[in-house]
Every structure is written in structure tokens, then in C-alpha cells.
């Protein structure tokens, strides 16, 4: 996978393609403590809401960059490949669609960017309850092997 070597650090200005029906990228400032590359998936303020976007590279112009807003969040996922970014541009050009809407199809699942939910598991402690019902006895027999069991597996 070809990856761009453009790195952006705190104070840099980057072009971010947002996943909405807009033609072109908006400029945002990289906040302190954040390192980005072309293809990094970020959340940026757009009007009164926060939306997903992708760092598209350096901005084409440097107009009014004294009023820029900071990027809100960088997701802890690998950056999109250079091939995928080029495909978004190509599909937008070929279908006469705005690049933001093509990018929206790429970033369709916001939940996929969130960290995985913890999985609860249960393991026997060796302590037997005072009131042993038949259901509790069956569960104690299953978890007696020392392995961790999910709630669904125990049911």
C-alpha cells in the first residue's frame, strides 16, 4: 500500500475533506499534541456540529488562516491509503459527484472508528453460594474448568 510521506504537526494548517456534500476541502489547524499524515481520519467542527473528515494534505491557498479552527479529534486507526484517496477523487470526477459525498460512502460507519467495547467474562472463584439452586449448580459446574465464560455462553 502506497502511503504519502506528508507529516503534519502542531500549528500546521491542513486541508480536510469532510464527509458532507461540499465541493473541496476546508482548512483546519493541527492542535498541540497531535501528529497527522495524509489520510488520517479526524473529527472537525463544521458549523455547529462535528463531522468526520480525512486529512487531504496541505491547503491550496493560505487565505484567512488566522481564523482557523482546530481539528477536534484524531481517530486511533490507520490512515487511509493513497490509493483509496485517489479512488475517491477519481469516482467523484467520473460520476460528477462532489468528493465529500464519495468520501461519505468510504466513512459510512462511525461506530467502526470507536474503540472496541470490553467483553465481560466470568470465571469461578471457588466460593460456593450458601443457597445452591439447580441453576447455580449448573453454572458452577461449567465454570469449574478455570476458563473465562461469557454471560451468553453460561445461559
Amino acid at each position: 500500500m502506497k502511503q504519502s510521506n506528508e507529516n503534519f504537526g502542531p500549528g500546521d494548517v491542513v486541508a480536510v475533506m469532510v464527509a458532507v456534500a461540499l465541493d473541496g476541502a476546508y482548512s483546519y489547524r493541527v492542535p498541540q499534541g497531535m501528529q497527522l499524515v495524509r489520510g488520517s481520519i479526524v473529527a472537525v467542527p463544521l458549523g455547529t456540529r462535528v463531522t468526520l473528515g480525512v486529512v487531504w494534505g496541505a491547503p491550496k491557498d493560505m487565505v484567512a488562516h488566522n481564523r482557523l479552527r482546530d481539528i477536534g479529534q484524531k481517530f486511533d486507526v490507520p490512515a487511509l491509503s493513497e490509493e483509496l484517496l485517489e479512488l475517491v477523487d477519481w469516482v467523484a470526477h467520473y460520476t460528477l459527484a462532489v468528493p465529500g459525498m464519495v468520501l461519505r460512502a468510504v466513512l459510512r460507519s462511525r461506530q467502526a472508528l470507536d474503540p472496541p467495547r470490553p467483553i465481560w467474562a466470568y470465571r469461578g472463584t471457588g466460593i460456593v453460594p450458601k443457597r445452591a439452586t439447580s441453576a447455580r449448580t449448573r453454572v458452577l459446574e461449567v465454570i469449574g474448568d478455570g476458563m473465562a465464560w461469557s454471560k451468553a455462553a453460561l445461559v
Side-chain angles (χ1 to χ4, degrees), residues 6-69:
E6 288 184 275
N7 292 312
F8 304 99
D12 287 342
V13 176
V14 295
V16 175
M17 184 72 68
V18 290
V20 295
L22 297 170
D23 189 21
Y26 283 142
S27 296
Y28 288 90
R29 188 176 36 242
V30 179
Q32 290 297 322
M34 189 179 289
Q35 293 290 326
L36 300 171
V37 296
R38 177 170 154 83
S40 293
I41 300 174
V42 295
V44 293
L46 185 65
T48 59
R49 64 185 178 136
V50 175
T51 187
L52 287 179
V54 173
V55 174
W56 221 249
K60 289 185 172 47
D61 58 18
M62 295 299 275
V63 177
H65 283 158
N66 57 339
R67 300 182 332 186
L68 292 179
R69 297 170 83 179

Side-chain angles (χ1 to χ4, degrees), residues 17-23 88 92 97-108:
M17 184 72 68
V18 290
V20 295
L22 297 170
D23 189 21
V88 168
V98 291
M101 292 308 290
V102 178
L103 183 64
R104 185 175 179 183
V106 172
L107 300 177
R108 198 66 184 159

Side-chain angles (χ1 to χ4, degrees), residues 91-113:
V91 169
H93 179 75
Y94 187 79
T95 61
L96 302 177
V98 291
M101 292 308 290
V102 178
L103 183 64
R104 185 175 179 183
V106 172
L107 300 177
R108 198 66 184 159
S109 175
R110 168 71 166 80
Q111 291 79 16
L113 300 173

Side-chain angles (χ1 to χ4, degrees), residues 124-129 132 135-145:
T125 61
I127 300 172
V128 179
R136 288 180 182 170
T137 305
R138 286 193 307 270
V139 169
L140 289 173
E141 288 172 5
V142 170
I143 63 174
D145 62 1

